[in-house]
Protein backbone atom coordinates (compact mmCIF):
# COMPACT_ATOMS: atom_id res chain seq x y z
CA UNK A 1 0.00 0.00 0.00
CA UNK A 2 1.39 3.40 -0.94
CA UNK A 3 2.27 5.74 1.94
CA UNK A 4 -0.21 8.50 2.68
CA UNK A 5 2.26 11.26 3.50
CA UNK A 6 5.33 12.81 1.93
CA UNK A 7 8.02 14.88 3.62
CA UNK A 8 10.99 17.17 3.08
CA UNK A 9 13.97 17.15 5.43
CA UNK A 10 16.92 19.51 5.29
CA UNK A 11 20.63 18.92 5.86
CA UNK A 12 23.70 21.12 5.47
CA UNK A 13 26.10 19.92 2.75
CA UNK A 14 28.90 22.36 3.60
CA UNK A 15 31.33 22.17 6.49
CA UNK A 16 30.12 23.75 9.71
CA UNK A 17 32.00 23.01 12.91
CA UNK A 18 30.01 22.87 16.16
CA UNK A 19 31.87 22.09 19.40
CA UNK A 20 34.83 20.92 17.38
CA UNK A 21 32.81 18.55 15.18
CA UNK A 22 31.80 18.97 11.55
CA UNK A 23 28.01 18.62 11.29
CA UNK A 24 27.81 18.69 7.48
CA UNK A 25 25.71 16.00 5.80
CA UNK A 26 25.64 16.13 2.02
CA UNK A 27 23.98 13.88 -0.54
CA UNK A 28 27.36 12.17 -0.96
CA UNK A 29 27.46 11.41 2.77
CA UNK A 30 23.87 10.18 2.72
CA UNK A 31 24.44 7.91 -0.27
CA UNK A 32 27.52 6.34 1.31
CA UNK A 33 25.85 5.84 4.71
CA UNK A 34 22.51 4.65 3.25
CA UNK A 35 20.64 4.93 6.59
CA UNK A 36 21.02 7.66 9.18
CA UNK A 37 19.24 8.92 12.31
CA UNK A 38 17.86 12.42 11.76
CA UNK A 39 19.22 13.89 14.97
CA UNK A 40 19.64 17.49 15.99
CA UNK A 41 16.17 18.84 15.19
CA UNK A 42 15.58 21.59 17.75
CA UNK A 43 12.32 23.11 16.61
CA UNK A 44 9.07 21.96 18.23
CA UNK A 45 6.99 22.13 15.06
CA UNK A 46 9.58 20.14 13.13
CA UNK A 47 9.85 17.63 15.99
CA UNK A 48 6.07 17.14 16.03
CA UNK A 49 6.07 16.50 12.30
CA UNK A 50 8.73 13.81 12.67
CA UNK A 51 6.62 12.13 15.36
CA UNK A 52 3.90 11.68 12.70
CA UNK A 53 6.19 9.88 10.23
CA UNK A 54 5.60 6.20 9.50
CA UNK A 55 7.85 3.55 8.04
CA UNK A 56 7.80 3.52 4.25
CA UNK A 57 6.74 7.14 3.79
CA UNK A 58 8.71 9.05 1.17
CA UNK A 59 10.91 12.09 1.76
CA UNK A 60 12.82 14.70 -0.20
CA UNK A 61 16.45 15.20 0.86
CA UNK A 62 17.19 18.93 0.71
CA UNK A 63 20.53 20.78 0.72
CA UNK A 64 20.17 23.78 3.03
CA UNK A 65 22.26 26.71 4.22
CA UNK A 66 24.55 26.62 1.19
CA UNK A 67 25.28 28.57 -1.99
CA UNK A 68 22.83 26.56 -4.10
CA UNK A 69 20.06 25.10 -1.90
CA UNK A 70 17.66 22.59 -3.38
CA UNK A 71 16.39 19.02 -3.59
CA UNK A 72 19.25 16.58 -4.12
CA UNK A 73 17.80 13.12 -3.45
CA UNK A 74 14.90 10.92 -2.45
CA UNK A 75 14.63 8.91 0.76
CA UNK A 76 12.16 6.99 2.88
CA UNK A 77 11.40 6.63 6.57
CA UNK A 78 12.96 3.41 7.90
CA UNK A 79 12.35 3.90 11.62
CA UNK A 80 9.60 5.88 13.33
CA UNK A 81 10.27 8.61 15.89
CA UNK A 82 12.28 7.70 18.98
CA UNK A 83 14.06 9.89 21.57
CA UNK A 84 16.90 11.98 20.22
CA UNK A 85 20.07 11.24 22.17
CA UNK A 86 20.22 14.84 23.37
CA UNK A 87 20.13 14.04 27.08
CA UNK A 88 23.82 13.17 27.04
CA UNK A 89 23.84 9.91 25.09
CA UNK A 90 24.90 11.53 21.84
CA UNK A 91 24.26 9.38 18.77
CA UNK A 92 27.18 9.11 16.39
CA UNK A 93 27.46 7.14 13.19
CA UNK A 94 30.33 4.66 13.44
CA UNK A 95 31.93 3.57 10.16
CA UNK A 96 34.10 0.78 8.95
CA UNK A 97 37.16 2.67 7.75
CA UNK A 98 38.00 0.00 5.19
CA UNK A 99 34.73 -0.21 3.23
CA UNK A 100 33.05 2.98 4.46
CA UNK A 101 29.85 1.12 5.36
CA UNK A 102 27.63 1.91 8.32
CA UNK A 103 28.23 -0.50 11.20
CA UNK A 104 25.92 0.77 13.92
CA UNK A 105 24.52 3.75 15.75
CA UNK A 106 26.61 3.83 18.89
CA UNK A 107 25.55 6.03 21.82
CA UNK A 108 28.35 7.89 23.53
CA UNK A 109 27.90 9.97 26.67
CA UNK A 110 29.36 13.38 25.88
CA UNK A 111 28.41 16.94 26.74
CA UNK A 112 30.60 18.00 23.84
CA UNK A 113 28.19 16.43 21.35
CA UNK A 114 27.05 19.14 18.87
CA UNK A 115 23.37 18.62 19.69
CA UNK A 116 23.64 18.04 23.43
CA UNK A 117 20.75 19.64 25.36
CA UNK A 118 21.16 19.87 29.12
CA UNK A 119 17.44 20.54 29.64
CA UNK A 120 16.17 17.24 28.22
CA UNK A 121 16.29 14.05 30.31
CA UNK A 122 16.47 10.37 29.43
CA UNK A 123 13.30 9.64 31.38
CA UNK A 124 11.51 12.64 29.89
CA UNK A 125 12.94 13.29 26.41
CA UNK A 126 12.20 16.61 24.76
CA UNK A 127 13.48 15.84 21.27
CA UNK A 128 12.85 12.98 18.84
CA UNK A 129 14.32 11.71 15.59
CA UNK A 130 13.57 9.20 12.83
CA UNK A 131 15.82 7.08 10.66
CA UNK A 132 15.94 7.87 6.96
CA UNK A 133 17.23 5.54 4.26
CA UNK A 134 18.69 6.82 1.00
CA UNK A 135 16.72 5.77 -2.11
CA UNK A 136 18.18 7.65 -5.10
CA UNK A 137 19.73 10.89 -6.27
CA UNK A 138 17.71 13.40 -8.23
CA UNK A 139 18.82 13.00 -11.85
CA UNK A 140 18.47 16.79 -12.07
CA UNK A 141 19.13 18.77 -8.90
CA UNK A 142 15.99 20.86 -8.26
CA UNK A 143 17.18 24.27 -7.03
CA UNK A 144 15.24 26.45 -4.64
CA UNK A 145 15.67 29.29 -7.15
CA UNK A 146 13.49 27.37 -9.63
CA UNK A 147 10.77 26.73 -7.05
CA UNK A 148 10.77 30.39 -6.05
CA UNK A 149 10.47 31.43 -9.69
CA UNK A 150 7.51 29.09 -10.06
CA UNK A 151 5.89 30.49 -6.91
CA UNK A 152 6.09 34.02 -8.35
CA UNK A 153 4.94 33.11 -11.87
CA UNK A 154 1.41 33.48 -13.22
CA UNK A 155 1.88 30.91 -16.00
CA UNK A 156 3.97 27.77 -16.31
CA UNK A 157 7.36 28.49 -17.92
CA UNK A 158 7.44 26.75 -21.29
CA UNK A 159 10.59 24.83 -20.34
CA UNK A 160 8.73 22.90 -17.62
CA UNK A 161 5.22 22.68 -19.05
CA UNK A 162 5.35 18.93 -18.48
CA UNK A 163 4.49 19.40 -14.75
CA UNK A 164 1.00 20.47 -15.78
CA UNK A 165 -1.31 23.03 -14.22
CA UNK A 166 -1.99 20.86 -11.17
CA UNK A 167 1.72 20.43 -10.46
CA UNK A 168 2.35 24.13 -11.08
CA UNK A 169 -0.26 25.15 -8.50
CA UNK A 170 0.98 22.54 -6.03
CA UNK A 171 4.57 23.82 -6.19
CA UNK A 172 3.39 27.38 -5.66
CA UNK A 173 1.80 26.41 -2.34
CA UNK A 174 4.68 24.29 -0.98
CA UNK A 175 5.76 25.01 2.58
CA UNK A 176 9.28 25.28 1.19
CA UNK A 177 8.41 28.60 -0.46
CA UNK A 178 5.86 29.66 2.17
CA UNK A 179 7.61 28.59 5.41
CA UNK A 180 11.15 28.24 4.14
CA UNK A 181 13.11 28.05 7.38
CA UNK A 182 11.42 24.97 8.88
CA UNK A 183 13.83 22.01 8.65
CA UNK A 184 11.09 19.34 8.45
CA UNK A 185 8.08 19.97 6.23
CA UNK A 186 5.03 18.25 4.81
CA UNK A 187 4.81 17.80 1.04
CA UNK A 188 1.48 17.28 -0.72
CA UNK A 189 1.27 14.32 -3.11
CA UNK A 190 0.68 16.59 -6.12
CA UNK A 191 3.79 18.62 -5.22
CA UNK A 192 5.76 15.40 -4.72
CA UNK A 193 4.78 14.19 -8.19
CA UNK A 194 5.79 17.54 -9.71
CA UNK A 195 9.18 17.40 -7.96
CA UNK A 196 9.73 13.85 -9.24
CA UNK A 197 8.96 15.05 -12.77
CA UNK A 198 11.36 17.99 -12.45
CA UNK A 199 14.10 15.73 -11.11
CA UNK A 200 13.63 13.31 -13.99
CA UNK A 201 13.11 15.72 -16.90
CA UNK A 202 15.08 18.89 -16.07
CA UNK A 203 14.91 21.52 -18.82
CA UNK A 204 15.51 24.75 -16.89
CA UNK A 205 19.28 24.86 -17.39
CA UNK A 206 19.09 27.86 -19.74
CA UNK A 207 16.38 29.68 -17.79
CA UNK A 208 17.01 32.88 -15.88
CA UNK A 209 16.00 31.75 -12.39
CA UNK A 210 16.16 35.18 -10.82
CA UNK A 211 12.76 36.32 -9.60
CA UNK A 212 11.93 39.65 -11.21
CA UNK A 213 11.28 42.18 -8.49
CA UNK A 214 8.32 44.47 -8.94
CA UNK A 215 9.46 48.02 -9.59
CA UNK A 216 8.39 50.54 -6.99
CA UNK A 217 6.71 53.72 -8.27
CA UNK A 218 9.27 56.26 -9.44
CA UNK A 219 9.74 59.28 -7.20
CA UNK A 220 10.85 61.48 -10.12
CA UNK A 221 7.30 62.07 -11.36
CA UNK A 222 5.79 63.43 -8.12
CA UNK A 223 8.86 65.59 -7.50
CA UNK A 224 8.67 67.21 -10.92
CA UNK A 225 4.93 67.73 -10.57
CA UNK A 226 5.41 69.27 -7.17
CA UNK A 227 8.02 71.59 -8.62
CA UNK A 228 5.66 72.74 -11.37
CA UNK A 229 2.85 73.31 -8.89
CA UNK A 230 5.28 75.14 -6.64
CA UNK A 231 6.36 77.50 -9.45
CA UNK A 232 2.76 78.30 -10.26
CA UNK A 233 1.99 79.01 -6.64
CA UNK A 234 5.10 81.18 -6.33
CA UNK A 235 3.90 83.39 -9.17
CA UNK A 236 0.49 83.76 -7.53
CA UNK A 237 2.11 84.68 -4.24
CA UNK A 238 4.32 87.22 -5.96
CA UNK A 239 1.23 88.91 -7.41
CA UNK A 240 -0.43 88.94 -4.01
CA UNK A 241 2.63 90.42 -2.34
CA UNK A 242 2.69 93.34 -4.81
CA UNK A 243 -0.74 94.37 -3.53
CA UNK A 244 0.29 94.48 0.15
CA UNK A 245 0.47 98.05 1.52
CA UNK A 246 3.38 99.31 3.58
CA UNK A 247 1.32 99.35 6.82
CA UNK A 248 1.22 95.54 6.67
CA UNK A 249 5.01 95.50 6.86
CA UNK A 250 4.96 97.37 10.17
CA UNK A 251 2.22 95.07 11.47
CA UNK A 252 4.25 91.99 10.47
CA UNK A 253 7.31 93.27 12.34
CA UNK A 254 5.20 93.73 15.49
CA UNK A 255 3.90 90.12 15.21
CA UNK A 256 7.44 88.75 14.87
CA UNK A 257 8.62 90.68 17.93
CA UNK A 258 5.63 89.41 19.92
CA UNK A 259 6.25 85.79 18.84
CA UNK A 260 9.90 86.00 19.85
CA UNK A 261 8.92 87.17 23.35
CA UNK A 262 6.38 84.35 23.71
CA UNK A 263 9.00 81.71 22.81
CA UNK A 264 11.06 82.52 25.91
CA UNK A 265 10.62 80.84 29.31
CA UNK A 266 10.56 82.68 32.64
CA UNK A 267 14.31 82.06 32.95
CA UNK A 268 14.93 83.80 29.67
CA UNK A 269 15.68 80.64 27.69
CA UNK A 270 13.93 79.71 24.49
CA UNK A 271 11.07 77.23 25.00
CA UNK A 272 11.66 73.83 23.37
CA UNK A 273 9.06 72.79 20.82
CA UNK A 274 6.77 70.05 22.17
CA UNK A 275 7.46 67.59 19.37
CA UNK A 276 11.00 68.59 18.50
CA UNK A 277 12.30 65.06 19.06
CA UNK A 278 9.60 63.58 16.86
CA UNK A 279 11.03 62.81 13.40
CA UNK A 280 7.68 63.67 11.83
CA UNK A 281 7.56 67.08 13.51
CA UNK A 282 8.14 70.07 11.30
CA UNK A 283 7.30 73.75 11.46
CA UNK A 284 5.61 75.29 8.45
CA UNK A 285 7.71 78.18 7.12
CA UNK A 286 6.22 81.64 7.59
CA UNK A 287 5.28 83.32 4.33
CA UNK A 288 6.57 86.85 4.29
CA UNK A 289 4.16 89.64 3.40
CA UNK A 290 6.88 92.24 2.96
CA UNK A 291 6.73 94.12 -0.30
CA UNK A 292 9.51 93.27 -2.72
CA UNK A 293 11.45 96.26 -3.93
Amino acid sequence: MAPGKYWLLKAEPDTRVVKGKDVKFSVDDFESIKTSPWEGVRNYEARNLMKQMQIGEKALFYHSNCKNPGIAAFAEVSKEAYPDCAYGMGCVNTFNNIVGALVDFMPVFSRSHPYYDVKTKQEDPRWFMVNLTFVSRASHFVPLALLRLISESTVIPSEIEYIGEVGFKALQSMDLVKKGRLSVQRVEETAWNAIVALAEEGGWEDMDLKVKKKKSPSKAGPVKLKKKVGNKRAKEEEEEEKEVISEDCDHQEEEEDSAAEGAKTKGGRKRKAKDEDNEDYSVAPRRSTRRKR
Side-chain angles (χ1 to χ4, degrees):
M1 182 174 67
K5 295 179 182 178
Y6 300 85
W7 309 94
L8 179 147
L9 295 96
K10 298 180 179 181
E12 298 181 36
D14 297 337
T15 292
R16 183 167 70 88
V17 177
V18 179
K19 295 183 179 180
K21 296 181 176 62
D22 192 349
V23 297
K24 85 175 186 70
F25 192 67
S26 68
V27 66
D28 295 331
D29 298 323
F30 195 13
E31 186 174 22
S32 65
I33 292 171
K34 299 302 182 186
T35 296
S36 176
W38 219 256
E39 59 180 338
V41 173
R42 296 297 177 266
N43 175 281
Y44 288 105
E45 184 178 357
R47 176 207 66 181
N48 293 341
L49 290 173
M50 284 202 301
K51 291 173 74 172
Q52 299 175 28
M53 294 181 183
Q54 298 180 7
I55 293 176
E57 291 182 343
K58 306 299 183 182
L60 300 173
F61 177 79
Y62 181 90
H63 276 178
S64 178
N65 194 25
C66 57
K67 185 176 180 180
N68 185 26
I71 298 163
F74 300 94
E76 69 177 22
V77 179
S78 52
K79 184 174 181 178
E80 295 175 8
Y82 59 100
D84 189 309
C85 301
Y87 49 79
M89 298 294 287
C91 294
V92 294
N93 292 332
T94 303
F95 303 92
N96 183 315
N97 292 328
I98 298 176
V99 298
L102 177 67
V103 176
D104 198 1
F105 301 126
M106 299 187 64
V108 291
F109 185 83
S110 176
R111 287 176 175 268
S112 65
H113 190 274
Y115 304 124
Y116 176 77
D117 183 356
V118 69
K119 294 182 180 181
T120 188
K121 306 297 180 184
Q122 183 173 0
E123 63 276 8
D124 184 24
R126 174 181 297 185
W127 307 112
F128 287 78
M129 58 187 179
V130 297
N131 285 0
L132 284 189
T133 296
F134 179 88
V135 174
S136 65
R137 284 177 178 259
S139 298
H140 296 85
F141 181 86
V142 182
L144 176 61
L146 173 64
L147 299 176
R148 282 180 172 166
L149 177 66
I150 292 172
S151 72
E152 297 293 329
S153 300
T154 56
V155 296
I156 308 175
S158 59
E159 294 87 345
I160 56 171
E161 285 182 340
Y162 55 79
I163 65 174
E165 190 67 28
V166 173
F168 178 64
K169 295 295 183 183
L171 294 179
Q172 288 185 316
S173 61
M174 282 186 73
D175 284 349
L176 185 61
V177 293
K178 299 295 184 182
K179 299 162 60 174
R181 294 188 64 83
L182 197 63
S183 64
V184 179
Q185 302 176 4
R186 288 190 184 91
V187 178
E188 296 298 326
E189 184 175 4
T190 48
W192 170 274
N193 293 335
I195 292 293
V196 170
L198 290 173
E200 290 177 351
E201 300 293 335
W204 58 83
E205 292 77 8
D206 296 328
M207 290 175 58
D208 180 4
L209 299 182
K210 294 181 180 179
V211 176
K212 305 296 187 296
K213 294 183 178 180
K214 296 180 180 179
K215 295 183 179 180
S216 57
S218 175
K219 295 181 179 180
V223 171
K224 291 180 179 179
L225 179 61
K226 184 176 180 181
K227 186 176 181 181
K228 290 180 180 179
V229 173
N231 290 339
K232 182 178 179 181
R233 180 59 182 165
K235 291 180 180 179
E236 292 176 353
E237 290 178 356
E238 185 176 351
E239 294 297 328
E240 292 175 0
E241 288 171 354
K242 290 179 180 180
E243 298 175 2
V244 176
I245 59 176
S246 59
E247 285 80 7
D248 288 338
C249 296
D250 296 333
H251 179 64
Q252 175 66 23
E253 291 174 354
E254 291 175 2
E255 287 182 345
E256 290 176 350
D257 292 338
S258 176
E261 282 294 316
K264 295 181 181 180
T265 63
K266 293 181 180 180
R269 291 179 296 180
K270 187 175 181 180
R271 183 172 66 244
K272 184 178 181 181
K274 179 187 289 186
D275 295 323
E276 189 175 44
D277 293 331
N278 188 333
E279 293 180 356
D280 296 330
Y281 175 78
S282 62
V283 179
R286 184 191 301 274
R287 182 166 66 87
S288 174
T289 57
R290 293 174 185 254
R291 179 182 298 171
K292 293 186 179 180
R293 299 182 184 277

